[in-house]
Amino acid sequence: QVQLVESGGGLVQAGGSLRLSCAASGSIFSINAMAWYRQAPGKQRELVATMANGGRYADSVKGRFTISRDNAKNTVYLQMNTLKPEDTAVYYCNALVKWRGPNTAYEAFWGQGTQVTVSS
């Protein structure tokens, strides 16, 4: 199996920064796209940033958030700057992982989520 473990969430004042990390571990042959999603209370989960296609961002975070990846560590990061109260949410890591064998399909895995709270 595969586990995704997020870290780096917390409470920060508006205008501050946080860096989220997500490490993938387990029986991994290869990892395709890695991405960050978030879900605020009462709202649907939304895509924040993805490494796919050279990197894409939600309009609401463009210019403030940066996604990056360390392939050697199977880790993806989300640097969040100039945080706003509306960024408050549980942030989830997602990855497409080939783990059953080298010639099998990629499967989606999710982390457990990390809370980010931005105070005004």
Side-chain angles (χ1 to χ4, degrees):
Q1 262 285 8
V2 175
Q3 297 80 39
L4 300 181
V5 179
E6 300 111 332
S7 61
L11 173 64
V12 64
Q13 288 188 332
S17 298
L18 283 174
R19 188 192 193 209
L20 305 183
S21 300
C22 171
S25 63
S27 177
I28 297 172
F29 284 90
S30 67
I31 299 177
N32 196 345
M34 298 187 80
W36 288 95
Y37 288 72
R38 68 185 180 188
Q39 187 167 19
K43 295 187 177 182
Q44 289 189 333
R45 190 172 297 189
E46 63 172 354
L47 176 67
V48 176
T50 176
M51 294 295 297
N53 300 322
R56 290 188 293 113
Y57 298 88
D59 288 342
S60 59
V61 307
K62 282 181 182 176
R64 300 188 297 121
F65 290 12
T66 303
I67 188 171
S68 61
R69 178 175 167 179
D70 185 333
N71 291 327
K73 296 182 179 179
N74 287 334
T75 299
V76 64
Y77 304 95
L78 186 68
Q79 178 66 44
M80 306 186 293
N81 298 328
T82 319
L83 282 160
K84 304 175 181 180
E86 50 264 44
D87 294 318
T88 295
V90 177
Y91 283 70
Y92 297 91
C93 174
N94 171 272
L96 296 178
V97 182
K98 184 179 291 187
W99 67 281
R100 297 182 185 273
N103 298 314
T104 60
Y106 285 95
E107 297 180 39
F109 289 88
W110 291 91
Q112 79 287 354
T114 184
Q115 177 70 47
V116 171
T117 303
V118 184
S119 63
S120 57

